[in-house]
Amino acid sequence: MQINTPFFKQRAHDALADANLQKALGNLKAGFPEKRAIAVSRMPEFEQLRDQGRDLKNHILEHLDLYLEEFERKVIENGGHVHWARTADDANRIILDICQQVDAKTVTKGKSMVTEEIGLNDFLEANGVQPVETDLGEYILQLRHDHPSHIIAPAIHLNLEDVSEAFHANHHRPKSSDPAVLMQEAREVLREKFVAADVGITGANFCVAETGSTIIVTNEGNGDLTQTLPKTHVVVTSIEKVVPTLEDMTLFLRLLARSATGQEFSVYNTLSSGPRREGDQDGPENFHVVLVDNGRSEMVGSEFQDMLRCIRCSACMNHCPVYGAVGGHSYGWVYPGPMGSVLTPQMIGIEKGGMLPNASTFCGKCESVCPVRIPLPKLMRHWREDEFEKHLQPKAARYGLAGWAFLAKRPALYKPYTRMASWMMKAWAGKNGRIRTLPLAGGWTDWRDMPAPQGKTFMQAWKEQQKAGGQQ
C-alpha cells in the first residue's frame, strides 16, 4: 500500500468536501458508539475487566519471548510450522514460498490488517498467485482496487450505490440496489473461490501459548471456510497477539466484541490447533503460522510499549472526532485513527508519519473507551516531541511555538498581549460571538465557526480567584 501520510492535510480537506464520504461516516457516528455504550451498560464488571486486560497485557509484554517460544513449541508439537519474519519483506517471501511449495495458483484470504501492513496481495499477484478476499467488505474493496478505511469495517466509507456499481462491473449481472440480492450474489461468486483455493490465509486475533492455537473472530463465517477447505492454512499475525492460556483469551474476547461492535460475543470464534488429525472430518493438511515483527520488538521496553496492548477493536477510531470527520483514508496508510497515529510512525518512520500524531484534538475520548486502557494521547504527545526534537515540524508551527514561548517567558508582555488578542477576537466576531474567518486559522474556519473568547483571560480569572481565596 502506498504511503500517503505526509499528505494528511490535503486528504482531510478533500474528505470534508466529499459528500458521499460524509454520508457514509454519518452511519458510523450513529452506530458503533451507541452499541458499545449499551453493551457496556449491561456489564457491571466491564471497568474491572479493562483493568485486568491492561495488567495481563503488561505481564505478557514483560515475558513476550517466553510466551512466543512456548507457542512455537506447541504449534510444532501439534504438527504445524512456525516462521519468524523480522520485516514485511521477510513475511512476504515466507508466505510466497509456502504457496509455491504446494503449487498454489489461487489463495483465499480472511480479513487481516497485518497482510495489509506487509502488502501481501500485491506481492502475491506480482509472483503469479491470485489472492481473493473473502470478507465481504474486503472483497468489495478488492473489486474496486481500494483499501480499507477502518480496521473492522473496511468498507465503511462506501454507500450502497458504490457496492452495487462494483458488483455490476465485475460480476456482469443485472444491477441491483437490494442488499439481500447483493449478498446472495457475493455468496454465489465466492463459493466457487472457496472450493478452488489451494491455500487459505487468515490473520489471528490471539495466539494461545498453552495450546499452540490461533483464533479468528468474525461475524460472517468466511474465515472458517478459508482455513478449513484448502489443503494448506497459513496464519499471518504479529508477535504481540500471544496470550498465555485459553482462559486469558476469553477475557480479551469479552472486551473485544463489546468494544468493537457492541455485541456480547462475536458470531464466530474459531480456534485452529494445527493440521487435520486422524479422524477429523475437515481441516487443512498443512498448518503454518507466520509471526511478523516489523518494528514491534523495538517498541518493547520503550515509551511506546503500551501501544502493543492493542487488541484491534477500533473503539478509539469509532469515538474519535477527527476520524469521524475525515475517515480512514485521510491517514494515508494501513492503520487509521488514534491507534494508527501511534503505530504508523513506528512502522514507516516519524519522517513520513509525523502528520498523524498531530491529527488529534487530545480530547481523550480514545483513551476513555480503550478496552486495555492505552494512553493514546500521551503516546501521540511522545511522537510530537520526537518530531519537534528532530526539526521535522513545518516552519510555521516551529516559529509559532517559538513566538508563544518568547511571550510566555515574559509575563509583562504575555498578559497585555493576550488581553489585546482577546478583545480583537471579540470585536471581529461581532454580536453573535462567532468568527467565520480568521488569519492563520483557516484549517478551522473553513469548515466551522470559531467561538470568540468569552469573559476574562485565564490570568485575570486566576488572579481574582487567588485574591478571593486569600480573603476567606
Side-chain angles (χ1 to χ4, degrees):
M1 182 175 177
Q2 186 177 356
I3 296 172
N4 289 307
T5 50
F7 310 110
F8 174 84
K9 283 189 175 181
Q10 182 58 50
R11 293 168 73 88
H13 187 277
D14 295 342
L16 288 167
D18 188 331
N20 286 334
L21 175 62
Q22 293 303 313
K23 177 183 175 182
L25 290 174
N27 299 327
L28 168 70
K29 297 172 185 176
F32 291 140
E34 292 181 7
K35 292 176 182 177
R36 177 194 177 276
I38 293 171
V40 169
S41 69
R42 292 174 178 170
M43 191 179 206
E45 69 273 28
F46 188 76
E47 294 303 315
Q48 182 181 354
L49 290 179
R50 291 178 70 197
D51 291 337
Q52 292 175 4
R54 174 200 60 202
D55 296 343
L56 178 54
K57 273 289 188 177
N58 286 342
H59 165 79
I60 293 168
L61 293 171
E62 289 171 2
H63 304 87
L64 186 59
D65 55 340
L66 299 178
Y67 287 121
L68 286 171
E69 289 173 356
E70 177 63 12
F71 172 72
E72 178 186 37
R73 188 179 71 80
K74 283 293 185 179
V75 171
I76 294 172
E77 186 179 293
N78 293 339
H81 307 272
V82 175
H83 310 265
W84 300 85
R86 179 168 292 278
T87 67
D89 289 341
D90 292 340
N92 284 328
R93 285 193 293 268
I94 290 167
I95 297 165
L96 177 63
D97 184 55
I98 294 170
C99 292
Q100 291 177 338
Q101 287 176 15
V102 295
D103 196 27
K105 298 295 186 292
T106 303
V107 303
T108 47
K109 289 180 72 259
K111 185 164 71 64
S112 165
M113 295 308 294
V114 175
T115 61
E116 291 284 342
E117 175 188 321
I118 64 177
L120 179 61
N121 283 9
D122 290 342
F123 183 81
L124 290 178
E125 287 181 4
N127 287 275
V129 180
Q130 179 60 48
V132 178
E133 296 287 354
T134 62
D135 172 88
L136 181 58
E138 294 277 5
Y139 175 66
I140 293 167
L141 296 181
Q142 188 175 32
L143 294 182
R144 290 170 51 89
H145 305 286
D146 200 354
H147 294 284
S149 63
H150 192 280
I151 63 173
I152 68 166
I156 200 168
H157 57 288
L158 301 179
N159 293 297
L160 180 60
E161 297 84 356
D162 302 317
V163 180
S164 178
E165 288 286 351
F167 276 26
H168 178 63
N170 289 273
H171 296 163
H172 308 295
R173 299 190 183 190
K175 191 175 181 180
S176 174
S177 58
D178 184 342
V181 172
L182 296 174
M183 182 72 74
Q184 182 59 31
E185 188 174 318
R187 285 196 183 105
E188 292 173 1
V189 173
L190 287 174
R191 191 172 293 133
E192 299 175 4
K193 306 295 185 181
F194 283 124
V195 173
D198 304 298
V199 172
I201 299 175
T202 68
N205 292 89
F206 305 102
C207 302
V208 185
E210 176 185 46
T211 60
S213 306
T214 63
I215 183 170
I216 57 172
V217 178
T218 70
N219 283 315
E220 295 179 22
N222 63 297
D224 291 18
L225 296 173
T226 298
Q227 65 186 23
T228 57
L229 290 179
K231 293 183 179 180
T232 298
H233 176 205
V234 182
V235 178
V236 185
T237 190
S238 50
I239 58 174
E240 81 279 11
K241 299 291 184 68
V242 69
V243 298
T245 67
L246 288 170
E247 184 176 358
D248 295 327
M249 179 194 70
T250 60
L251 164 64
F252 291 119
L253 291 179
R254 296 176 74 190
L255 289 167
L256 177 60
R258 289 173 173 85
S259 299
T261 57
Q263 296 168 279
E264 292 185 0
F265 230 60
S266 298
V267 177
Y268 298 94
N269 297 271
T270 307
L271 286 156
S272 297
S273 301
R276 181 191 303 183
R277 298 169 179 80
E278 186 176 351
D280 287 349
Q281 295 183 354
D282 56 25
E285 296 176 5
N286 308 299
F287 180 74
H288 298 264
V289 180
V290 181
L291 292 170
V292 180
D293 183 334
N294 206 28
R296 290 168 173 82
S297 60
E298 297 174 9
M299 299 170 71
V300 177
S302 76
E303 64 267 42
F304 298 107
Q305 176 172 303
D306 289 344
M307 189 63 229
L308 295 176
R309 296 206 298 259
C310 181
I311 60 174
R312 303 297 192 271
C313 69
S314 79
C316 62
M317 63 192 72
N318 293 343
H319 293 78
C320 176
V322 177
Y323 179 94
V326 302
H329 285 164
S330 296
Y331 291 79
W333 200 55
V334 176
Y335 299 108
M339 58 84 70
S341 295
V342 176
L343 196 57
T344 298
Q346 176 66 35
M347 294 185 169
I348 68 173
I350 188 64
E351 295 79 8
K352 294 180 180 178
M355 290 295 300
L356 303 190
N358 293 283
S360 173
T361 65
F362 276 14
C363 67
K365 189 65 176 178
C366 52
E367 182 176 0
S368 73
V369 298
C370 175
V372 286
R373 300 192 187 279
I374 299 173
L376 288 159
K378 184 182 80 171
L379 300 183
M380 283 187 273
R381 191 177 300 113
H382 283 319
W383 279 124
R384 290 187 185 187
E385 292 168 356
D386 188 46
E387 183 188 36
F388 184 82
E389 290 171 0
K390 293 179 178 177
H391 298 274
L392 297 173
Q393 286 183 317
K395 288 183 178 180
R398 295 187 64 82
Y399 291 156
L401 283 172
W404 176 86
F406 177 84
L407 290 172
K409 293 175 182 177
R410 296 164 175 82
L413 291 175
Y414 185 82
K415 293 176 183 178
Y417 181 84
T418 53
R419 283 197 298 267
M420 181 179 66
S422 178
W423 179 86
M424 291 179 64
M425 291 178 71
K426 289 179 185 178
W428 187 274
K431 294 181 179 180
N432 65 2
R434 314 292 292 184
I435 301 172
R436 301 190 65 178
T437 60
L438 188 67
L440 304 179
W444 179 285
T445 57
D446 283 352
W447 305 102
R448 62 186 71 78
D449 292 345
M450 178 177 286
Q454 301 296 317
K456 302 180 177 73
T457 67
F458 173 80
M459 298 297 291
Q460 289 172 325
W462 177 260
K463 185 176 181 179
E464 291 180 6
Q465 181 178 328
Q466 293 296 100
K467 185 182 294 185
Q471 294 175 351
Q472 294 177 355

